[in-house]
Amino acid sequence: MPVPDDGLDQVLLHYTEHNPSGRSTVVLIHGACTSGLNWDLVVPHLADSYHLLVPDLPGHGLSRNVTPFSAEYSSRLLERLIRKHAHGGKAHIIGHSLGANVAVEFITSHPEVVNTAFVSGFAKYPRTNFASFLPYGFWAENRITKLVPSALIKWLMDGTDLGHSGPCSIELCRQVVPPMIETTWPSPWPARTLIVAAGKSGILPSSDRLEDARKLMDIGREKNVETIAVTHPLMRHPWNRQAPLLFAQTARAWFEGEQIPSGFEDL
């Protein structure tokens, strides 16, 4: 998808800011068909010590008029956000779900503004004859989940909600699917990166793609041997909402070079 060139300096992603006096900056990148609001359970556990920038990606939330969405365009705008507003023009990066794919594109394309990275739920689906139907399946899933009572979803998902999902048009679904299709894999990047794949499934398929996490780790370790991939057998895909304190503790430990919490298994 072409990346808009005209007037990039005038384009701004909507973002919220927390604790501007924090010692270093963390950027939280949300998943598809939601917005920065989806980090509301995690933010309180990080904002006590970090300066947080929480953007809405192009086509999402209050950045819905910044179009079209692509991982490359998102990366260019995130780089501008960090240079203008992050402490020292650099940040730790957190990405979840589609946000993990965007984060990997970002840390590969703009390593000079990245401290460390933490991605969860990264996926690259095989390119098959059915790939062209994925946007429609994604759209249908988005609509169907809105019809299911939230109490039932929480019961099926160990008390986890699905977050703040907004309307997801067919056009937006067409735009968010390509970064998750296995056309090309990223090039190696230098940032020390923690890659997490949620391990628990169940009646609702909610585990992540462990094989993709392993492959991504192998690529990342080409330039930084400290990059690792782990899974947690009790965490579901939206574990930033299932266990927001654990999510924040894991991020904090990784950023500070400490041991991540117990319960994770190496991949």
Side-chain angles (χ1 to χ4, degrees):
M1 180 175 297
V3 175
D5 291 316
D6 295 336
L8 181 64
D9 286 344
Q10 305 305 315
V11 177
L12 294 172
L13 289 176
H14 175 270
Y15 71 96
T16 58
E17 185 175 25
H18 307 267
N19 190 20
S21 62
R23 61 177 179 268
S24 59
T25 300
V26 177
V27 175
L28 297 99
I29 308 174
H30 65 80
C33 297
T34 180
S35 70
L37 289 174
N38 221 41
W39 293 109
D40 62 338
L41 302 182
V42 173
V43 163
H45 301 297
L46 289 176
D48 59 336
S49 53
Y50 294 104
H51 169 224
L52 305 183
L53 296 174
V54 189
D56 292 348
L57 291 174
H60 294 76
L62 295 179
S63 298
R64 66 177 64 89
N65 293 324
V66 180
T67 57
F69 170 86
S70 72
E72 183 182 357
Y73 188 36
S74 299
S75 294
R76 289 177 61 187
L77 295 176
L78 289 167
E79 187 255 357
R80 183 166 178 255
L81 177 69
I82 289 171
R83 287 194 185 276
K84 288 176 69 69
H85 299 291
H87 295 341
K90 298 185 73 173
H92 302 287
I93 307 299
I94 297 177
H96 177 257
S97 197
L98 174 68
N101 290 63
V102 171
V104 170
E105 169 72 24
F106 177 75
I107 64 179
T108 302
S109 303
H110 303 285
E112 70 282 0
V113 298
V114 178
N115 288 320
T116 65
F118 165 30
V119 298
S120 180
F122 177 91
K124 283 287 188 180
Y125 295 97
R127 187 176 181 85
T128 68
N129 293 333
F130 297 101
S132 60
F133 296 102
L134 279 177
Y136 301 97
F138 198 80
W139 177 85
E141 180 185 18
N142 180 259
R143 290 298 187 272
I144 290 171
T145 55
K146 291 183 179 302
L147 299 176
V148 179
S150 59
L152 178 58
I153 290 177
K154 286 187 175 183
W155 180 74
L156 292 171
M157 296 275 286
D158 299 332
T160 306
D161 65 33
L162 297 181
H164 301 276
S165 60
C168 200
S169 66
I170 284 290
E171 184 57 31
L172 182 57
C173 289
R174 291 193 185 103
Q175 294 169 12
V176 302
V177 165
M180 296 184 285
I181 299 296
E182 192 175 38
T183 50
T184 58
W185 280 76
S187 302
W189 63 91
R192 181 172 61 89
T193 303
L194 173 64
I195 303 159
V196 177
K200 187 169 185 179
S201 190
I203 298 175
L204 291 180
S206 62
S207 57
D208 293 330
R209 296 173 59 85
L210 273 60
E211 64 275 18
D212 291 352
R214 291 190 192 96
K215 184 170 180 178
L216 188 64
M217 175 185 66
D218 291 341
I219 295 171
R221 287 178 64 86
E222 291 182 34
K223 283 195 172 181
N224 194 316
V225 296
E226 294 184 48
T227 288
I228 63 171
V230 298
T231 186
H232 196 301
L234 300 181
M235 293 298 106
R236 296 178 180 270
H237 177 73
W239 69 289
N240 59 319
R241 305 199 63 80
Q242 176 188 0
L245 176 58
L246 176 63
F247 194 100
Q249 289 172 334
T250 304
R252 187 187 303 273
W254 186 251
F255 300 156
E256 303 302 327
E258 300 170 353
Q259 185 173 356
I260 63 174
S262 62
F264 291 93
E265 302 171 358
D266 292 338
L267 287 176

